[in-house]
Amino acid sequence: MSKAMEELTASYFLRAWDDASSFSKTNDGTELERDSSPQALDTEKSSRGFALVGPDRLSASYPHESKHMHDVGIVQADRAVPWKRLVYYFEIFVKNAGALARVSVGFATSTSTNSRHHPGWEPGSCGYYGLNGMIYRGWGEGETFGPTISIGDTVGCGVNHGTNQFFFTKNGVLIGSVRRNWYGTLFPTIGLQTENEEVTVNFGKTPFLFDLEAYKADHRARLQKNIDKMEIARGDCFRMVRSYLQHYGYEETLRLFDTDVETEALVQENGSNEEDGNYALSERKMIRHTIMCGQVDDAITILEHLFPQIMKNNLSPIRFFLHSQKFIELVRDGKLSEALVLSRNEFDKFRSVLKVEDQVQDCASLLAYKLPHESCAGYLLEESHRELVADLVNATILSTNPNMKDEEFCTQSSLERLIRQLAACFSESRALNMYRGEGFDLRRILKSHKK
């Protein structure tokens, strides 16, 4: 195994370890995204006292007589609309429409709190106006859009980052959508102008009247319909599945797959690539099984016997991964004293030659908790980390194949390359939309196909 190949493999799997650690400590960012969404109305963004925000910060009223067209009370949410979602949505309930129902709802920039007009009547805003049912998109002239608003109505307003559109609802029914024609931070915004007007706001703490989940499901279904129009040859799909099974040493599954799918023609077409895919297949299967069972010492013994060339360096990345996994297995079994001795004897050696400070720290932190499974390093005790170690060992064995032409083949299969390319294309598409909307989520896609 060349030095360059060893560094490539180590870098790939250390990065995967870092990703797993970050995922565990940030809860995949989901909680952070939820907490950053609007929770209440901002009392400091109530414009010039025309509109009053209630003590609960979820209601607003217009207690004065409006004497001029500019006497508009504007209130906004305390936080901006989160932009890493497919859709953001909120609703207002019209508790009192006053005499004229000059209630408006929409989105605007934070500077709009100084506005003397309803959302949509100035640049950087969009709003649905209850008096005439028109939509305003930043230039003062309304467009025919929907019904008027009156007392007892629930009006909703949302932004679909996937289509770059605002949409509005009334009493749980979608009215329509309009194109968003500017970029910038969005704040849920409400306008009031008639004496005694009063509304309450729902930012999602209670169920919406509008079925938001059905709306998102319909959006994804339409997107999937376009995807389904793309044709992919069945043979190409079979090749990717076979390469995945070969790559990770799933010998029995590969045999059953070949039997059921009758892939003899594909095997003949693969030629020399077939031999590379089957390289040390039985041995890789055996070693993977041993690691996944937590028998690290046995795995080391097998490797030293069958592949001594990758084990001769006692400070190599594969040695570090195996010794760290042995430490983790000792913690799993409650043998903390043995784990402590192992860490003192081994980890300092690796830190002197490899950039593994963070990984060593995570391992060592398991000893500090009575319930290590529930700690920030608890991800190390999951099956997925055993799999990571098994994958690195598998890649290292593949690198010993003298006929290996593509070094990156050692670290990932063709199927994984395809998924990475798909994720990259999705990211580029989001970039064209100023990175708004939800990111590529393979797990969500897979779950949707199980339903």
Side-chain angles (χ1 to χ4, degrees), residues 317-364:
I318 189 173
R319 285 279 188 182
F320 169 72
F321 271 78
L322 289 168
H323 283 296
S324 63
Q325 188 60 34
K326 181 179 179 180
F327 171 88
I328 293 166
E329 298 299 344
L330 289 172
V331 173
R332 190 196 308 275
D333 295 338
K335 300 177 180 179
L336 303 185
S337 297
E338 293 182 42
L340 183 59
V341 171
L342 177 65
S343 66
R344 289 174 176 172
N345 292 339
E346 300 294 342
F347 286 161
D348 284 343
K349 298 177 184 178
F350 289 109
R351 275 191 290 202
S352 64
V353 294
L354 300 174
K355 296 180 180 179
V356 293
E357 184 65 35
D358 292 340
Q359 288 77 12
V360 169
Q361 186 174 353
D362 274 6
C363 288

Side-chain angles (χ1 to χ4, degrees), residues 21 28 124 136 148 170 219 269 272 369 386 388:
S21 176
D28 196 22
Y136 292 81
T148 59
K170 179 181 176 183
H219 170 88
E269 185 178 334
S272 60
Y369 296 92
R386 281 180 173 173
L388 176 66

Side-chain angles (χ1 to χ4, degrees), residues 143-161:
E143 306 168 56
T144 301
F145 187 69
T148 59
I149 297 174
S150 59
I151 186 171
D153 284 338
T154 296
V155 184
C157 180
V159 55
N160 185 328
H161 290 307

Side-chain angles (χ1 to χ4, degrees), residues 36-104:
S36 66
S37 63
Q39 302 293 313
L41 295 173
D42 193 330
T43 55
E44 294 181 1
K45 292 183 179 179
S46 178
S47 61
R48 305 186 316 282
F50 286 113
L52 297 180
V53 176
D56 60 357
R57 298 181 61 197
L58 292 173
S59 61
S61 61
Y62 194 95
H64 313 292
E65 180 183 355
S66 175
K67 298 181 179 180
H68 306 284
M69 283 299 295
H70 298 313
D71 293 345
V72 180
I74 299 294
V75 291
Q76 288 190 313
D78 58 347
R79 298 173 185 171
V81 169
W83 52 274
K84 290 184 179 180
R85 299 183 185 181
L86 173 62
V87 171
Y88 175 78
Y89 177 81
F90 73 101
E91 289 181 341
I92 66 168
F93 174 73
V94 183
K95 193 173 181 180
N96 191 328
L100 297 175
R102 289 178 173 173
V103 178
S104 60

Side-chain angles (χ1 to χ4, degrees), residues 285-299 325-326 328-330 332-333 382-383 385-387 389-390:
K285 170 200 167 186
M286 174 177 58
I287 294 170
R288 174 177 292 276
H289 175 75
T290 304
I291 294 173
M292 294 303 295
C293 290
Q295 301 165 359
V296 180
D297 282 335
D298 291 344
Q325 188 60 34
K326 181 179 179 180
I328 293 166
E329 298 299 344
L330 289 172
R332 190 196 308 275
D333 295 338
E382 297 176 359
E383 289 293 298
H385 192 75
R386 281 180 173 173
E387 190 170 10
V389 175

Side-chain angles (χ1 to χ4, degrees), residues 209-310:
L209 191 59
F210 177 64
D211 192 341
L212 186 62
E213 293 305 313
Y215 173 86
K216 291 189 287 186
D218 179 68
H219 170 88
R220 289 175 177 137
R222 285 185 278 110
L223 180 62
Q224 186 62 44
K225 187 175 181 181
N226 291 330
I227 294 174
D228 290 341
K229 294 177 181 178
M230 304 295 295
E231 294 186 5
I232 301 177
R234 287 173 58 83
D236 292 336
C237 296
F238 292 153
R239 288 187 191 90
M240 285 188 289
V241 173
R242 290 193 80 252
S243 74
Y244 180 85
L245 297 175
Q246 287 176 319
H247 180 87
Y248 288 106
Y250 298 126
E251 185 179 23
E252 294 180 7
T253 306
L254 177 63
R255 178 176 54 80
L256 292 173
F257 179 81
D258 286 342
T259 300
D260 291 344
V261 179
E262 297 181 355
T263 57
E264 183 177 352
L266 295 179
V267 172
Q268 293 177 351
E269 185 178 334
N270 282 344
S272 60
N273 290 333
E274 184 69 17
E275 295 179 5
D276 291 341
N278 288 332
Y279 176 76
L281 186 61
S282 298
E283 292 83 353
R284 290 188 287 119
K285 170 200 167 186
M286 174 177 58
I287 294 170
R288 174 177 292 276
H289 175 75
T290 304
I291 294 173
M292 294 303 295
C293 290
Q295 301 165 359
V296 180
D297 282 335
D298 291 344
I300 292 174
T301 300
I302 296 171
L303 285 165
E304 289 175 339
H305 175 67
L306 296 177
F307 303 98
Q309 67 271 41
I310 64 176

Side-chain angles (χ1 to χ4, degrees), residues 1-14 317 354:
M1 183 181 188
S2 67
K3 185 67 175 177
M5 186 64 220
E6 182 179 274
E7 292 178 354
L8 174 67
T9 304
S11 175
Y12 180 87
F13 287 99
L14 285 172
L354 300 174

